[in-house]
Amino acid sequence: DDVETRRWRVLGYALLALLAYVPVLLTKPGKVVADTKSYLYLDPGRLLERAVSMWDPNIGMGTVTHQNIGYLFPMGPYYWLMHLVGVPAWVSQRLWLGSILFAAAVGVLYLLRTLHVRGPGVVVAAVVFMLTPYTLDFAARISVILLPWAGLPWMLALTIRALRTPKGRGSWRYPALFAIVVQIVGGVNATALIFAGVAPVLWLLYVGVTRDVEWRRVLAVTVRIGVLTLVTSLWWIAGLWAQGGYGLNILKYTETLQVVTLSSLPTEVLRGLGYWFFYGIDRIGHWTDASVPYTQNLALIGVSFLLPVLALLSAACVRWRHRAYFVVLTVVGVAVAVGANPFDDPSPLGAVFKSFAESSSFGLALRSTSRAVPLIALGL
């Protein structure tokens, strides 16, 4: 009955939450990691106060800030509230990361419910997506970049529901929810958001090509989502404009296209990795401790390759109405994530991207192509 079903559902969400929160809370308790911005947990009130203005007179003789405006929502208010109620910084950090993991898993459940998928495979998909190695690239250093990954299944599901909603007043509901999700996940890093946005764009093209939805309706939904997302995103888009026009040219002083391309191998992006910093090492040691088992432990390496292999085999064997879409999503994700690798002799598509990245600031801003790995993780 409905009561029994509701109980099992609550139990399932509770177990999923335990899987998301407990391991991170048990990881080095009491230790504060250098995640994203130190002022988030040292003095979040001051960070929020300064983030409202692109001009910061407190650095040097004054400077135009870089991405600070994005911390106005949701990361800044979260840490400010945790600080206000007296939650220890290390606990608030773990709860933040656990919430990102949980949101990603629930997003997959919401997506598969939208696609009318039932059975144990739904749970498997949610858990595998939540535990993708992609999170290890950013969890302890720049966790804010994980937000577009967590928002990816939500954005895709809301796009699908927007296409199904009949014309009328309710037709703006899901586009509005889409725009809200973008505000939650996209205020700090536009690159990761752009790559995540490939999935809903592909769905719009997919249903148009397969004639599941009339092109007129596809265009109408695209306009609704685009207009609402653009208008609600102006607060951080304006920050990017001011930074690009008057701030330091950050792109010239950070990682180069050649550096980020070195590790974006097809095999690495398929197992959820490929971000150059993950493999870094110097005299002190490995930059990311998790890279050691993922590059040296044969059993873990085998498992990390086995999962995508099983997914690709299932794509060949399982009959499903939307199989083609997720196969295309995976293929496109791999092509984008690989980018210009190998740098000295890229594929024709990689050569186009290499030329684009080397000839324009916008192209160079997209150089971290491994941030397209969430497309692969969701497709698999």
Side-chain angles (χ1 to χ4, degrees):
D1 57 1
D2 291 340
V3 175
E4 189 68 20
T5 300
R6 195 176 298 113
R7 287 176 179 174
W8 278 107
R9 183 172 293 177
V10 171
L11 177 61
Y13 281 119
L15 292 174
L16 200 60
L18 287 174
L19 185 59
Y21 287 102
V22 172
V24 294
L25 284 168
L26 294 178
T27 303
K28 295 185 177 180
K31 295 288 184 71
V32 177
V33 297
D35 179 24
T36 309
K37 288 281 187 182
S38 59
Y39 280 123
L40 284 169
Y41 33 92
L42 293 177
D43 194 347
R46 182 166 65 169
L47 178 67
L48 284 174
E49 182 182 353
R50 294 181 178 180
V52 297
S53 172
M54 288 301 296
W55 176 257
D56 188 348
N58 301 287
I59 299 177
M61 297 183 69
T63 186
V64 175
T65 59
H66 175 67
Q67 296 181 329
N68 272 19
I69 194 172
Y71 296 107
L72 288 175
F73 185 76
M75 200 174 190
Y78 165 79
Y79 275 101
W80 176 80
L81 181 61
M82 289 289 149
H83 184 76
L84 187 67
V85 299
V87 177
W90 78 269
V91 175
S92 60
Q93 283 188 334
R94 304 308 192 273
L95 292 177
W96 166 260
L97 179 58
S99 298
I100 294 175
L101 298 175
F102 184 64
V106 175
V108 172
L109 296 180
Y110 183 67
L111 170 61
L112 294 180
R113 190 179 302 124
T114 300
L115 294 173
H116 307 300
V117 180
R118 298 290 185 270
V122 173
V123 179
V124 173
V127 171
V128 170
F129 185 76
M130 180 177 70
L131 301 181
T132 172
Y134 175 78
T135 60
L136 299 174
D137 291 336
F138 309 102
R141 196 172 65 89
I142 37 178
S143 64
V144 70
I145 291 183
L146 292 177
L147 291 178
W149 161 75
L152 169 59
W154 291 98
M155 291 190 292
L156 179 56
L158 291 170
T159 302
I160 296 170
R161 291 181 180 240
L163 288 164
R164 293 177 181 171
T165 305
K167 186 177 180 180
R169 182 178 295 181
S171 61
W172 288 90
R173 176 187 177 187
Y174 291 112
L177 290 173
F178 184 101
I180 291 173
V181 170
V182 170
Q183 304 319 303
I184 295 173
V185 306
V188 172
N189 191 274
T191 301
L193 178 64
I194 289 172
F195 287 141
V198 170
V201 170
L202 282 179
W203 183 269
L204 292 168
L205 295 174
Y206 164 73
V207 295
V209 171
T210 58
R211 298 184 179 179
D212 287 350
V213 180
E214 293 182 357
W215 279 108
R216 181 182 298 177
R217 175 145 191 79
V218 170
L219 180 60
V221 169
T222 302
V223 170
R224 290 191 187 100
I225 291 176
V227 168
L228 291 178
T229 302
L230 176 62
V231 171
T232 54
S233 300
L234 287 176
W235 63 279
W236 58 265
I237 292 176
L240 289 178
W241 169 82
Q243 172 197 317
Y246 303 100
L248 291 175
N249 190 349
I250 301 296
L251 298 178
K252 284 188 175 182
Y253 305 104
T254 54
E255 63 270 20
T256 64
L257 177 63
Q258 184 173 8
V259 167
V260 301
T261 300
L262 289 174
S263 57
S264 58
L265 302 167
T267 51
E268 289 300 280
V269 299
L270 274 170
R271 65 183 188 135
L273 299 171
Y275 181 48
W276 69 275
F277 191 91
F278 182 78
Y279 308 91
I281 185 173
D282 54 31
R283 292 182 179 181
I284 297 176
H286 293 268
W287 297 350
T288 306
D289 290 341
S291 66
V292 179
Y294 271 92
T295 55
Q296 299 181 24
N297 186 310
L298 293 180
L300 182 56
I301 292 173
V303 171
S304 67
F305 280 113
L306 179 63
L307 285 173
V309 167
L310 290 175
L312 294 174
L313 285 175
S314 72
C317 300
V318 176
R319 292 185 177 182
W320 183 37
R321 180 183 178 187
H322 302 302
R323 175 181 61 173
Y325 168 78
F326 287 96
V327 169
V328 171
L329 181 65
T330 303
V331 172
V332 171
V334 170
V336 174
V338 167
N341 180 280
F343 187 79
D344 294 329
D345 187 24
S347 66
L349 183 61
V352 172
F353 173 75
K354 178 180 177 180
S355 176
F356 173 57
E358 291 181 333
S359 60
S360 71
S361 296
F362 179 67
L364 188 58
L366 298 176
R367 67 197 181 285
S368 294
T369 54
S370 60
R371 291 175 189 173
V373 166
L375 301 175
I376 305 169
L378 186 62
L380 294 178

